[in-house]
Amino acid sequence: MANLQKFREPVPFTSVKITDAFWAPRIAANREHGLWAVYQQLKDTGRLNAYRLDWEPGSGTPVPHVFWDSDVAKWLEGACYSLMNVPDQALLDVVEDVVDRILAAQGEDGYLNPHFTVVEPAGRWTNLRDKHELYCAGHLIEAAIAHHQATGGTRFLDGMCRYSDLICQVFGPGATQKHGYPGHEEIELALIKLYRHTGVRRYLELAAYFIDQRGQTPHYFDLEAQQRGEKSEDYWAKSHAYTQSHLPVRQQQEVVGHAVRAMYLYSGMADLAAETGDDDLLKTLQTLWGDLTSRKMYLTGGIGASRTNEGFTAGHDLPNREAYAETCAAIGLIFWAKRMLRLSLDSRYADVMERSLYNAMLSSVSLEGDRFFYVNPLASDSTHHRQAFFSCSCCPPNINRILPTIGGYIYSTGESEIDVHLYIQSQAEIDLGGQRVGLTQKTDYPWDGVVCLQVDLDQPLAFAVKLRKPGWCDEYRIFVNDQPIPVEDNLQAGYLSLDRTWQPGDRVRAQWVTTAHLVNAHPEIKANVGRVALMRGPLVYCLESLDQTQPLQHLYLPRETSLSSHFDPDVLGGVVLIQGAARVVDLSGWENTLYRKEPMQFSETSFVAIPYFAWDNREPGEMQVWMPEVIDQ
Amino acid sequence: MANLQKFREPVPFTSVKITDAFWAPRIAANREHGLWAVYQQLKDTGRLNAYRLDWEPGSGTPVPHVFWDSDVAKWLEGACYSLMNVPDQALLDVVEDVVDRILAAQGEDGYLNPHFTVVEPAGRWTNLRDKHELYCAGHLIEAAIAHHQATGGTRFLDGMCRYSDLICQVFGPGATQKHGYPGHEEIELALIKLYRHTGVRRYLELAAYFIDQRGQTPHYFDLEAQQRGEKSEDYWAKSHAYTQSHLPVRQQQEVVGHAVRAMYLYSGMADLAAETGDDDLLKTLQTLWGDLTSRKMYLTGGIGASRTNEGFTAGHDLPNREAYAETCAAIGLIFWAKRMLRLSLDSRYADVMERSLYNAMLSSVSLEGDRFFYVNPLASDSTHHRQAFFSCSCCPPNINRILPTIGGYIYSTGESEIDVHLYIQSQAEIDLGGQRVGLTQKTDYPWDGVVCLQVDLDQPLAFAVKLRKPGWCDEYRIFVNDQPIPVEDNLQAGYLSLDRTWQPGDRVRAQWVTTAHLVNAHPEIKANVGRVALMRGPLVYCLESLDQTQPLQHLYLPRETSLSSHFDPDVLGGVVLIQGAARVVDLSGWENTLYRKEPMQFSETSFVAIPYFAWDNREPGEMQVWMPEVIDQ
């Protein structure tokens, strides 16, 4: 183990009250519609009734699925977070009812998984590779912690500690223990969270075991398959890269396989590094981060391009219409980014976190908060729409649980420093080494880049405010109490340090100049050759056919287009639109012609672009992020 | 029935001796390598031994497949055509041996299909939709006719007439007959060919029955599925469009479904129209032709874009790397085009015929003649290569049978006219209403557009020579006996009519100016937005990475590039190369960067393009037909 380091602590969302016009309505929509819509689906699909343990063959009730617990648990976790923001007796009542149902299904030995209890009792812990038991356990642990935090009640937490204790008995290096680890990672980060919450060190130790046992030889999943009477070469996914167990994790240098699994693993590794100060693990994570963000990430922060493995393929293989870019993978990337920021204050992490939050993650939920994308393509022929639920429905409850916690991504504290990662209007109460620091943030971000921070103190206090310079921003000014601050020398790893003795009422003003601009993609991304996209601030834009006067597929953007932006309160709940000159291809002469020598002819027109996150909230139509560039000669 | 019309007659390949430097070596390679390579595969894979009828469960020998007969039959047909060009005792010996094997497997009642004879005896004629019996019968009939033509022997023809007679008994409108038709069309055109060869009218009538019964309701394939105890809605292909039986054929207006099936059906319909003068059928075919060639055809003349149905999707859906463009479909299109030309002298048909012959069809066979593409994409990441054979191996023997007959696509005759469709150096002996006309064609086509025709006559004769003006050609001159001919008024449906009393030794010279040029694709073809291709004469060009000094994926073509062409005898057996200025994208500044505001930077370079048909004949590498255009500003 390397030397223990002192890492930053995120300021919890419970200390930050979001008051802005952008996120507050989305968090409210999740509270008022999203959580209830998913709850209804959990009931209607049999996921809650599964805890009755009354399924039997021929019973006609839905077969409890191996991953159903995770859907219920993520919903519970989200509901508890929402309760921590806004008390709600009706929501609390259903939360307690769901907790009762879950606990009623727990075995004497602490085991809890309706599928294996009633459908496949002999199968317990026999197929870690495919069957999601430990994954579900992880989500239940997270839900129980959230329930304890939200309600103070301990019965759920106690139950999940009992389950965790069972898992600690079953798995580990001992001669009588199973030397396995989850096929779908998640429990690693959950166990570390449980360790932090309870102080019980064996949970941290088991997380460390799961992480470092992963990918060792002889390969546990092969041994396990042989014990099931299967040939390891018949593995449906062909390669252990699918579960990031093709190599011991510290030897991994490329993000591979199922994207959600990868993100949860790396998040757990980052948590472990934060607890142990393990430099090796941090270096591995930095390498993996570099591979992901320099080769395998959509402009939107969506990741996992391929439907085939719900995951990663080769670098720069980022098709638009066929993009998978699962919602849960974007959320997992946000989790990982937050943890990397904790290990190392570098705006590269916060830039990606912001990119995914405002684009890939946010696109996956309707403006009303109750319909969801599982798949988040960057172009659509009008057939792709949000749904209420999915048969594999990991994404909706993941949205349920991330939205109430957005406040927890804004700030972190270090020794005598407060880091500002995101610009969201809010009121925070921060404990800085025992001193109270109130931070009032006022901004119209992401529509406008002016951010005002007022420092509320009981007495003058010396510390640094470290402001993230957004990666999308080239021009900015910083003022303290209306005095401009020279910034050139203060920028370190993307953060501007304002280190001073702050007085009560001191004001910081940041002006991140926000203009719409074109973006180019790496030349190796074949899908984007000859194409440009539009961004403004952290937001990726797209064109929907219903905003255009010409068919979307006939529009080209000239490189030297002049772009204008204005806020339209009547469109999509109020968004900044980008407008500009476009060219529309002239179809005359193409009748009954597929190929010809004459070049395309264009005429002048204009386009309207909307933020990508807001697409598919009106009547169905085509959508496109990457537009062809026109040739002016 | 509409009025009978007098249609053109193609001049058979047996009357045309090909002497040019382009086709003659390819026909020879097919004769010397291609036919023998496929014969070896027919032996090695068990296709020939299947006729022993000694397969039984557990015998360990390969299970005779429902479509194996068609592979053997197409090879036989090709071998017989080759024998008609060049006698070859060794080839004749194996031909006769294969014919003996086939005939030994024929039943007392005339039935012939090893699969149904030994594997599934109860299944005869019970699954016309999926099982290829009639398709195989059609190919056997064509092979038997070719065998009779090549050898004069009648035993194979007699046998296949017996089989045809059985089919005429089993199928038809009678109360005791089956009212079905083939799921995979082919027998329609074969029966008409057999009618033409034997004069037995019931073969024509059955072909007409199959064509017009297709798609009638109640749907035969549904009834048949019910009789097998299957639900018609469980049909794996989902829609009868897959077999072009979703509607009666005269109501069809769009080419749909499996591309090879469609081409063989339309060819049969055209043959029927030629026999009956049926205007209705001709109009349907013209509509279908328009749909295919204005919306669903690759630049190469490849058709059937989708792997899923081996066939057609929506208009303008023509992906390059994922293109299916099956070899057999291109060959089927050539068959259909030749038949449309017979019905109506219009260069649109000959242009497509030429496009497919010189590009999609020709690309599917290696320069040595013994390795084949089944799938013909327009871009490759270096993983796509020709193979010796395929488990479903319809394409190699289809190549075997089309190459020896290229001479039959050059000329047709009408009343007092000779139509020249293709420019191939050759010596033809044509019977024009009882008068002998010799035509000596000299040309370096497709490398050069100068074509000299010398007319050899026993005495002066008045007739029209109708020269096809190639669709790719904008500039041309025509001379008769070195005197320029004004051509503007003589161009009708793409043919220039030289109508005069020809003297022995008269000479026609056509100069089709052949320059390399860029081609644009219809703006609705998403895969080609912002891209251009290169053509020269009838040939589509492509870039292979091994000819470039820069990575192929980094090359862009400027619109105003100056292109030069030269014949290089040392490359790919001698081809004209196209060279020109290109831009290579500058990768500096892109390290660890996926997206950026700065536009691409380019530097000057050059490119070398080869004819598409010749790709993948050297070391493996990337290939691309449609290149991105660069933006010059």
Side-chain angles (χ1 to χ4, degrees), chain A residues 292-299 316 318 321 355 472-474 517-526 528-531 553-554 556 559-560 585-587 590 592-600 622 626 628-633, chain B residues 292-299 316 318 321 355 472-474 517-526 528-531 553-554 556 559-560 585-587 590 592-600 622 626 628-633:
Chain A
L292 176 68
T293 58
S294 71
R295 306 205 308 140
K296 299 173 181 172
M297 182 180 69
Y298 283 100
L299 184 63
H316 303 115
L318 294 162
R321 201 170 301 269
R355 185 186 288 273
W472 51 261
C473 179
D474 298 327
H517 59 269
L518 297 180
V519 181
N520 285 268
H522 193 288
E524 295 280 358
I525 303 178
K526 293 192 177 86
N528 298 341
V529 165
R531 292 178 183 264
Q553 300 301 331
H554 300 170
Y556 290 63
R559 155 65 48 187
E560 299 300 328
V585 67
D586 184 355
L587 285 186
W590 278 110
N592 302 318
T593 300
L594 263 181
Y595 307 103
R596 71 177 197 194
K597 292 180 187 175
E598 297 73 31
M600 302 285 176
E622 297 186 337
W626 289 98
E629 270 192 313
V630 77
I631 299 174
D632 282 322
Q633 281 185 326
Chain B
L292 176 68
T293 57
S294 70
R295 307 205 307 140
K296 299 173 182 173
M297 182 180 70
Y298 284 100
L299 183 64
H316 302 115
L318 294 163
R321 200 169 300 267
R355 184 186 289 274
W472 53 261
C473 179
D474 299 327
H517 59 269
L518 297 180
V519 181
N520 284 269
H522 193 289
E524 295 280 357
I525 303 177
K526 294 193 176 85
N528 298 341
V529 165
R531 290 176 183 265
Q553 300 304 329
H554 300 171
Y556 291 63
R559 155 65 49 187
E560 299 301 327
V585 69
D586 183 354
L587 285 185
W590 278 111
N592 302 318
T593 300
L594 262 182
Y595 307 105
R596 71 177 197 191
K597 292 180 186 175
E598 298 72 32
M600 303 284 178
E622 296 188 336
W626 290 97
E629 270 192 312
V630 79
I631 297 175
D632 280 324
Q633 283 187 319

Side-chain angles (χ1 to χ4, degrees), chain B residues 439-557:
Chain B
L439 275 182
T440 303
Q441 193 178 153
K442 292 202 172 170
T443 179
D444 272 329
Y445 202 91
W447 309 128
D448 182 74
V450 176
V451 178
C452 298
L453 271 170
Q454 182 160 323
V455 183
D456 183 25
L457 296 164
D458 300 325
Q459 58 199 42
L461 189 64
F463 62 95
V465 170
K466 296 194 172 179
L467 299 176
R468 165 179 157 259
K469 183 195 86 60
W472 53 261
C473 179
D474 299 327
E475 190 188 342
Y476 55 95
R477 279 172 293 179
I478 308 293
F479 303 83
V480 174
N481 297 331
D482 300 323
Q483 298 302 308
I485 299 287
V487 290
E488 289 67 21
D489 302 337
N490 286 331
L491 193 64
Q492 200 169 21
Y495 284 79
L496 288 154
S497 183
L498 307 174
D499 196 352
R500 52 189 284 150
T501 299
W502 297 90
Q503 307 293 326
D506 274 355
R507 288 168 290 112
V508 177
R509 191 166 83 252
Q511 294 180 346
W512 313 114
V513 177
T514 307
T515 49
H517 59 269
L518 297 180
V519 181
N520 284 269
H522 193 289
E524 295 280 357
I525 303 177
K526 294 193 176 85
N528 298 341
V529 165
R531 290 176 183 265
V532 288
L534 290 155
M535 288 193 73
R536 186 175 179 281
L539 297 177
V540 174
Y541 274 67
C542 68
L543 274 66
E544 281 198 302
S545 49
L546 84 170
D547 292 314
Q548 318 309 324
T549 57
Q550 302 287 338
L552 178 54
Q553 300 304 329
H554 300 171
L555 291 182
Y556 291 63
L557 298 195

Side-chain angles (χ1 to χ4, degrees), chain B residues 137-196:
Chain B
H139 279 303
L140 285 165
I141 292 165
E142 287 202 274
I145 296 166
H147 180 258
H148 184 229
Q149 292 170 327
T151 68
T154 59
R155 72 190 194 293
F156 192 20
L157 181 63
D158 291 344
M160 293 312 100
C161 285
R162 277 212 298 137
Y163 191 13
S164 302
D165 292 340
L166 172 68
I167 293 169
C168 287
Q169 283 169 31
V170 172
F171 293 93
T176 61
Q177 288 178 300
K178 289 181 187 291
H179 304 158
Y181 42 87
H184 195 315
E185 304 92 322
E186 207 287 331
I187 195 170
E188 299 87 344
L189 71 87
L191 284 169
I192 297 173
K193 193 185 270 190
L194 187 61
Y195 156 68
R196 289 175 182 159

Side-chain angles (χ1 to χ4, degrees), chain A residues 385-403:
Chain A
H385 307 295
R386 293 185 189 83
Q387 297 175 213
F389 215 57
F390 305 87
S391 57
C392 172
S393 205
C394 45
C395 302
N398 231 348
I399 290 289
N400 287 161
R401 72 175 180 144
I402 195 171
L403 280 174

Side-chain angles (χ1 to χ4, degrees), chain B residues 206-257:
Chain B
L206 182 59
Y209 179 76
F210 280 152
I211 287 169
D212 277 318
Q213 181 64 9
R214 188 167 210 87
Q216 302 292 345
T217 49
H219 201 286
Y220 186 79
F221 295 159
D222 288 340
L223 300 174
E224 192 194 47
Q226 287 158 25
Q227 287 202 326
R228 292 194 306 273
E230 299 166 13
K231 289 183 187 163
S232 50
E233 61 265 33
D234 291 342
Y235 177 30
W236 62 273
K238 307 293 183 205
S239 160
H240 292 307
Y242 177 72
T243 58
Q244 299 81 40
S245 66
H246 56 303
L247 284 173
V249 295
R250 290 162 196 273
Q251 294 172 31
Q252 297 189 23
Q253 303 203 307
E254 290 197 22
V255 297
V256 295

